[in-house]
Amino acid sequence: MKTLQLNVLMFLCLMSFGQELPPIEKFTTENYHGDNQNWMISQASNNFIYVANNIGLLEYNGAKWVTYPSPNNTIIRAVRVINDKIYTGSYGEFGYWIKNEFGILTYASLASKLENKLSEDEEIWNIIEYKEWVVFQSGDNIYFYNSTTETFKIIHSNNIIYKIFKVDNRIFYHVDNEGIYLVENGKPKLILNHEIVKSGRVINIFKRDENLMLLTRSYGFYTFKNNNMTPWETPADDVFKKVNIFSSIQLKDGSFIVGTISDGVIHLNIDGSINYKITQKTGLNNNTVLCLFEDQAQNVWVGLDNGINCINVKSAIKTYYDYDGVLGTVYSTMVFNNYLYIGSNQGLFYREVNDIDSPFKFIEGTAGQVWDLYNYKDDYLFCGHHLGTFLIKNNKAKNINKNLGAWTFKAIPNAENLILQGNYDGLYILEKVNETWQTRNKVEGFENSSRYFEINDDNQVWVNHEYKGVFKLKLDDSLKKVIKLGMETSLPLGKNTGLIRYKNNIIYRAQEGMFEYNNSTDAFQRDSILSLTTKKDQYISGKLVVDKNDKLWVFSKDNLNYIENDNVTNQPAINNISIPSKLRKGLLGYENISLTSNNKYVLGTTNGYITLDLSKLNETNNHTTYLNTVALQDIEGKISQYKIQHVGEFNHNNGILLFEYSVPEYDKFLGVKYQYKLEGHSNKWSPWTENAQASFENLSFGDYTFKVRVKVGNKLTKNTVSYTFKVDRPWYLSNIAISFYFLLLLLITLITHKAYKRYYNNKFKHEQMENEQTIMQIKNEKLNQDIENKNRELAISTMSIIKKNRVLNKIKKELKKNKDNADNAAVILIDSNLNDTKDWSFFEQAFNNADKDFLEKIKKSHPNLTPNDLRFCAYLRLNLSSKEMAPLLNISIKSVETKRYRLRKKLGLEHDNSLVDYILKF
């Protein structure tokens, strides 16, 4: 038993099961935001997809799924797009949806227009279009709705109506225990009541060779001809006996897709043979296929019991996915002697090229890492392996070099039966001796890893070491040792660089571009044409591959590129295949591609491989870009929709402006990227992105035009979407506000003008006043100076008189001492001078200059005063003492006091009043 188990285990390990299948795009409930089951699928003229789902109607625009709950919260079982309306049917309800001006579907009920309501538990299961009629099929009735007159016709059945069909513009339907009916002249006509259709279930009816062909659930295909049913024998009959068919369609190319209850989908060729079968294990979300639909691009949509899948049946690409994990990551592929060899991290596998349904077989002894497969002159197949070098013959491996790490192999020019091999530890020479290959020698003088290398006719070898750079080696004639070793300093270093020989030229690829070796300058020079395949934002790997058709393959982020010679210009022609690296799933730095037949290629991936048929590539630019929604999200997260076909108008600073757009393209390997700009905000296009949405916040007021363009693969869509809108001025910048601001500014200007005028007037008056005060001050100072001068003159005059009188009195006293001179002329002269009125006149004049109003005021107040009294008052005004006044008056001090007394009486002063104070008050 243990031996048997071991043999079975070894058998399973030696074989890898799988199929080359078309690409499948998967959508789960998390993707489309609906329920598990999907009952029917249809497509609009704009290529949008509509799905009848348990939760309601699903809409897919190529970028986003939108869910519309059913109008009565029941399961939608049927959907059919006719013109601009999406007709749906559910439990107790049917009607249509139509897009409003905001791009949102709104529902209109047709069941409510029936004279008699739908019967209890009646459910719509199918919808077809027939001329101006829309036909709704339930379990008991067929409702014919005339979309022109909006009237109904009804066909009733006592037994269950399984399904309604439209074939060759005629309507058929299948009734349980009765058979197939044809609607003719508005009435049902039983045309087939064979036991198979009475007791069995007809899944679909097709037209084949002018006859009807029926597909049954359990018995396969039958042809209905001359009122007879005859089985259509096909290679798939044995398979149909084991599966339970639930749905089917005939594709535009005449082939068939059959959906089963628990065995996925089966693709039948026109002759009925099985092309391929896809199950949950090989790519579907689920094995139960509830519905099938072929879209305008000939993709097949599969509505499953759990999820939705889109199968690109016409794709130039097929995928081989290693679901069992036997193959592993593929590092090299090669077609040799009609076998396809796959070298991976698990070992070396093979199968016949055209026998795509056969499993891959494992070549014993090759378990482990395979680095490269090399075909020498179509006679020998070499396998570069971690364990060394293997020669593959009759699908058996022979180790001919046990030195670890054989990277790759190159034929040596002008040397028959010699191969240069790159290893972990340098270079080796393989030699063919007596039809047997063996290791001849290791090249001495070079010990570096030689993953990428090339050799020319002069035994010149270039070895690319991605961390150290490119070594330049000169080998001796015997190819046994390095006689000259140097480095190529003209080349940039970098991870994942590549080196290859193409059209007898050595090509080096790095992030900076493609460089070609120039023999005349003995240096590498950048090739401007080839470097077009190497843009910095697209560079992921420098790996280069030359295939049997002499095409140079280059791998970039968004494209798979190949370069071939243009026969007209004799220049390199670059061809871009839009297969992004994330979908190619190749191991970076170890990408590989090889020719299998004609224009068919195989590319290794991390979990199998993909095949590419260049003859089927048809990248067109007939895609259309659609603007789906324009919305405004406020600060609370509430979204308001806006009309798409109108000029938009939005309030200033009212939230985030959102645009959603898409291109309904459903090819899995055809990348879609979007680019937009907002004229009025920025005239620069945004970077290319896969995000089908743009948002703008805090836009200033003004007019804007939003534009979006789309690149499908490497082609721009045929249109650029535009949406013109304006952002209203904020209330504080409205016309009324601006008018108010103008009036306010005018008022402020007037007030400011008046204020400035008043200010400058006051300032002028103040300055004028200050000037006048200054002038007055100067005048006053001058007057004061004059007064001081006058007072000084008056004082001088008074003092002069006093001094003169004192002198005269002294002289007089001396003269009187001599009695003889008492009456002489000298004494008389002195007396006359002491009483000289001239002195008084001079004094009066000086006094009036200093205090001109005093004498007049006191005269006016006291007219009875004598000139002597006035003179005495002037002396008092000068605040002279009695002692000082006596000489001036030429009287004694006592006489001065007497004079004071008499003046007081004349002035009428009381005893307590000061005479001097009274005089000073004038």
Side-chain angles (χ1 to χ4, degrees), residues 33 61 156 250 252 272 392 464 541 602 648 708 715 776 863 914:
H33 311 295
N61 57 34
H156 177 73
Q250 186 175 19
K252 294 181 177 69
I392 309 302
N464 177 31
S541 171
V602 58
V708 59
K715 301 287 186 179
M776 289 178 65
S914 173

Side-chain angles (χ1 to χ4, degrees), residues 180-196:
I180 303 296
Y181 284 85
L182 168 66
V183 178
E184 192 173 76
N185 298 323
K187 296 181 179 180
K189 176 183 177 181
L190 183 64
I191 62 170
L192 179 60
N193 59 355
H194 193 279
E195 187 61 30
I196 290 178

Side-chain angles (χ1 to χ4, degrees), residues 19-39:
Q19 287 179 291
E20 293 178 4
L21 300 174
I24 302 174
E25 189 72 46
K26 298 181 181 181
F27 302 101
T28 64
T29 54
E30 289 77 15
N31 298 134
Y32 57 74
H33 311 295
D35 212 340
N36 292 347
Q37 293 178 314
N38 300 280
W39 297 98

Side-chain angles (χ1 to χ4, degrees), residues 37-48:
Q37 293 178 314
N38 300 280
W39 297 98
M40 195 170 178
I41 302 174
S42 188
Q43 187 178 33
S45 58
N46 61 1
N47 292 336
F48 285 22

Side-chain angles (χ1 to χ4, degrees), residues 447-470:
E447 303 294 333
N448 287 282
S449 178
S450 304
R451 181 182 165 198
Y452 297 121
F453 67 90
E454 293 293 341
I455 183 171
N456 67 7
D457 298 342
D458 298 327
N459 294 338
Q460 185 79 52
V461 179
W462 287 266
V463 180
N464 177 31
H465 192 290
E466 59 184 347
Y467 299 115
K468 297 181 179 180
V470 176

Side-chain angles (χ1 to χ4, degrees), residues 486-501:
M487 298 292 295
E488 280 290 347
T489 58
S490 61
L491 292 174
L493 296 178
K495 186 179 180 181
N496 288 338
T497 54
L499 183 77
I500 204 167
R501 186 186 183 97

